[in-house]
Amino acid sequence: MFKDYNMNQLVLPLDLEVRLQENDIAFAVHHLVESIPDDVFDPFMRTTGCPAYHPRMMWLAQGNAPSYRTINRFRVHPAVTPILKQAFVTFRCHLVEMGEINEEAIFIDGTKLEANANRYTFVWRKSIERHSSSLVDKSNRIYDNLVEQDILPEIERESPDELTLSELEHMGEALDAHIASINQKIEASSDTQERKRLRSERKEPRLLRKEITDFIERKQRYALQKRTLAGRNSYSKTDIDATFMRMKEDHMQNGQLKPGYNVQIATEGQYTLAYDIYPNPTDARTLLPFLDEISSYLPLPPHIVADAGYGSQENYQDILMRRGRIPLIPYTMFENEKSRKWRNDPFNTVNWSYDERSDRFVCPNGQDVTFRYMSKRTDRYGFTRDFKVYESEGCDGCPFRSRCTKAKEGRHRQVHINTSWEEQKEQMKKWLSDQKTGSLYAKRKIDLEPVFGYLKANLSFTRFSVRGKAKVKRELGFILMAVNLRKWLIQSVARRAT
């Protein structure tokens, strides 16, 4: 049951001082919220206790005054996620109906926003690995010493390289038993010198037992930290989903790393149609999961437009082959290849003459660089690339050797050619040079940057106020929808004025 809420019914007594202007943003909010299906709000329904405020009232209160706690509970509630998703779907449908977007392309870009986390609460993967390796070495040495002193019988280990938690606990139990036996000898002896010798003998096992206890606690902590990292290089103790990144807003000008999130948005007509957040700072690794997220509730248009930070063989291949869309995404060296320096560099392999019949290049010194073998490289994410490896017939005595190759003496210049990648690059050049697709790519900056500019400069939204990926994503959804509605209101006023 919800508290009564009906924006289409007159409320008495009338207060003429709060009458809204015709172009007030409240009307745009009301139209959007009222178009969301009722069943989306069902998770907020209460069957017991005081009736809840209707979720629609979180936008327009109709004279009610929910407390800030009520509003905050609403914005971080897990059930808000499908409401926000439905709001973006409804808003996009409205844009299509009004002809504001033509569904020809989506423009994707990212920015980094600071997390609501303390700046000096970092946990680094390399530090964990270093300390964990030191722990393994120390525990192995203690194990060998205990076996050598017959304090611990040799155990059948799961791994010869590292002791498990259960094996460390077994070592601790063996030390406890050894210390207990010494204590019994001390109690049974009446000889002062013998008791003194036994107490001295007991010191080392006690210290080792303390170390083993510390090892067990640290091993458990390192295992938890590695699970929390989940492939990242760092995280914050006060927001474990945040990763330390370099921000554009670097007021100290020292390249300081701050805990943050990589925010990705997809726009058209300067309206945000989809969004998501990621813990990895590089954009190239976010494109495919972001497209999967968009596809889960919106149809992908024919063209996917993004900057060179997203250009990779894996991304091109996925968009072309699996999704059947056209990527208008330049590769990293796209602009550099247009420069005179690149085109005139005699040691750049793209400027070497190539004989397709014999499958060989000719280097600046006139030596043949012939095909030798095929090579495969698989990156840490599991994507495999195929290379044709060419090698010079001889670089010994070449006057250009120091400028042409960094190979050691006795070895010759090698050239690795990824045929699929080269074909994709050529196709990308054609699309970006074509009048139609090239003009689509040219719209990228004017479509995306105003959204980020308004978000950061006008609304001063550069730092999240909640912690945890799920809550951060919901907060981002609210702020981006607010930007959309302001943009829609400005457009509506401009249309009425003309």
Side-chain angles (χ1 to χ4, degrees):
M1 180 183 296
F2 293 122
K3 294 181 186 292
D4 182 58
Y5 175 73
N6 186 353
M7 287 300 296
N8 298 317
Q9 182 175 339
L10 191 65
V11 178
L12 296 175
L14 293 174
D15 189 351
L16 299 179
E17 292 183 1
V18 296
R19 183 178 178 182
L20 299 177
Q21 296 181 6
E22 184 179 353
N23 61 350
D24 196 281
I25 194 172
F27 292 107
V29 174
H30 173 66
H31 180 75
L32 173 67
V33 174
E34 291 298 324
S35 61
I36 299 175
D38 291 335
D39 58 352
V40 177
F41 300 106
D42 288 346
F44 289 91
M45 183 77 73
R46 285 185 190 171
T47 56
T48 59
C50 178
Y53 287 109
H54 197 290
R56 297 185 196 274
M57 196 187 300
M58 296 299 107
W59 300 86
L60 300 175
Q62 198 192 22
N64 291 281
S67 70
Y68 72 91
R69 288 189 181 89
T70 302
I71 295 173
N72 190 59
R73 281 197 299 268
F74 171 75
R75 76 187 184 105
V76 299
H77 197 288
V80 168
T81 300
I83 296 178
L84 280 169
K85 185 174 288 188
Q86 185 62 50
F88 275 87
V89 171
T90 303
F91 186 74
R92 176 188 169 277
C93 292
H94 186 65
L95 292 176
V96 173
E97 290 174 3
M98 298 299 294
E100 289 291 318
I101 59 175
N102 56 21
E103 301 180 281
E104 182 69 19
I106 56 169
F107 303 87
I108 294 175
D109 201 1
T111 190
K112 297 176 182 64
L113 294 178
E114 190 174 348
N116 182 22
N118 298 339
R119 297 181 184 179
Y120 303 105
T121 56
F122 36 73
V123 177
W124 302 106
R125 177 177 58 84
K126 288 186 178 180
S127 178
I128 296 171
E129 291 174 348
R130 184 175 68 254
H131 291 304
S132 181
S133 176
S134 174
L135 186 150
V136 169
D137 293 339
K138 290 179 181 179
S139 60
N140 283 337
R141 284 199 298 270
I142 292 176
Y143 170 78
D144 292 337
N145 290 336
L146 293 179
V147 171
E148 186 178 343
Q149 296 172 20
D150 293 327
I151 296 175
L152 173 70
E154 191 168 354
I155 59 178
E156 186 177 347
R157 296 172 57 171
E158 293 183 16
S159 169
D161 301 322
E162 182 177 357
L163 289 160
T164 63
L165 275 173
S166 59
E167 290 166 351
L168 285 172
E169 289 169 354
H170 182 67
M171 289 170 59
E173 292 168 0
L175 282 168
D176 288 337
H178 183 64
I179 293 168
S181 68
I182 296 176
N183 288 337
Q184 289 177 357
K185 292 177 182 179
I186 292 173
E187 292 175 2
S189 176
S190 59
D191 186 348
T192 305
Q193 293 299 321
E194 178 65 12
R195 288 167 63 90
K196 186 176 181 180
R197 184 190 67 79
L198 289 171
R199 283 196 295 268
S200 178
E201 182 183 332
R202 188 179 59 181
K203 286 183 180 179
E204 185 179 0
R206 277 184 166 180
L207 290 173
L208 290 176
R209 182 64 179 99
K210 188 176 180 180
E211 277 195 88
I212 293 298
T213 302
D214 179 59
F215 288 168
I216 292 172
E217 293 175 355
R218 286 168 57 193
K219 191 175 183 67
Q220 291 173 329
R221 184 169 71 250
Y222 295 154
L224 176 61
Q225 289 173 337
K226 287 177 181 178
R227 289 195 299 271
T228 304
L229 282 169
R232 295 178 291 165
N233 289 326
S234 64
Y235 72 87
S236 170
K237 294 176 185 176
T238 48
D239 184 356
I240 61 175
D241 291 335
T243 306
F244 279 80
M245 309 175 182
R246 281 189 170 82
M247 306 287 177
K248 288 183 179 178
E249 292 79 15
D250 184 11
H251 303 295
M252 300 296 291
Q253 299 295 315
N254 59 359
Q256 184 183 26
L257 297 175
K258 299 178 184 177
Y261 291 94
N262 188 351
V263 173
Q264 297 290 312
I265 65 170
T267 70
E268 186 181 357
Q270 297 182 1
Y271 293 104
T272 301
L273 306 181
Y275 64 95
D276 207 349
I277 60 169
Y278 297 92
N280 45 304
T282 55
D283 288 334
R285 301 301 313 169
T286 66
L287 181 60
L288 300 187
F290 187 37
L291 290 177
D292 290 336
E293 168 69 12
I294 298 172
S295 303
S296 67
Y297 61 96
L298 293 177
L300 287 176
H303 301 92
I304 310 296
V305 185
D307 63 27
Y310 298 85
S312 72
Q313 182 182 351
E314 183 180 7
N315 290 345
Y316 291 158
Q317 184 172 304
D318 182 274
I319 295 172
L320 288 167
M321 306 301 293
R322 187 164 75 91
R323 306 178 196 273
R325 301 297 193 272
I326 296 176
L328 299 180
I329 307 172
Y331 48 92
T332 308
M333 300 299 292
F334 178 75
E335 292 297 331
N336 290 27
E337 290 180 5
K338 296 179 181 179
S339 66
R340 183 181 302 175
K341 180 181 178 181
W342 176 277
R343 296 195 305 268
N344 295 337
D345 184 359
F347 304 105
N348 194 330
T349 54
V350 297
N351 298 323
W352 291 3
S353 60
Y354 172 71
D355 184 358
E356 187 174 357
R357 182 177 301 175
S358 60
D359 194 12
R360 64 184 177 85
F361 292 92
V362 178
C363 76
N365 196 36
Q367 295 289 330
D368 289 341
V369 183
T370 57
F371 171 71
R372 296 301 176 91
Y373 58 90
M374 294 294 298
S375 173
K376 288 183 179 290
R377 295 180 191 170
T378 302
D379 60 26
R380 61 174 176 163
Y381 304 104
F383 186 73
T384 301
R385 296 170 174 82
D386 297 319
F387 291 88
K388 296 178 70 175
V389 181
Y390 297 78
E391 187 171 353
S392 172
E393 295 291 344
C395 295
D396 297 330
C398 176
F400 306 122
R401 181 184 176 91
S402 60
R403 298 168 59 192
C404 183
T405 180
K406 295 181 180 179
K408 296 180 180 178
E409 289 295 331
R411 305 194 67 174
H412 308 305
R413 169 78 185 267
Q414 283 190 345
V415 178
H416 296 252
I417 302 295
N418 184 338
T419 307
S420 299
W421 175 236
E422 296 300 325
E423 291 173 353
Q424 289 174 350
K425 286 163 62 176
E426 287 301 317
Q427 182 62 66
M428 215 53 55
K429 289 178 184 177
K430 292 179 182 177
W431 278 331
L432 294 174
S433 301
D434 180 77
Q435 183 176 359
K436 178 184 176 182
T437 51
S439 62
L440 273 177
Y441 177 74
K443 293 179 181 178
R444 186 190 65 81
K445 287 185 178 181
I446 61 173
D447 204 284
L448 281 161
E449 298 304 334
V451 178
F452 288 137
Y454 194 93
L455 189 71
K456 293 183 177 182
N458 291 4
L459 299 184
S460 300
F461 188 82
T462 58
R463 191 173 191 264
F464 291 105
S465 61
V466 291
R467 296 177 178 178
K469 182 178 179 180
K471 293 180 180 179
V472 165
K473 185 175 178 180
R474 286 191 282 272
E475 183 178 34
L476 179 65
F478 279 115
I479 194 72
L480 288 175
M481 181 53 71
V483 175
N484 280 347
L485 291 172
R486 287 177 180 272
K487 166 72 177 175
W488 168 253
L489 180 64
I490 293 171
Q491 293 290 90
S492 300
V493 173
R495 281 195 299 269
R496 283 197 293 268
T498 56

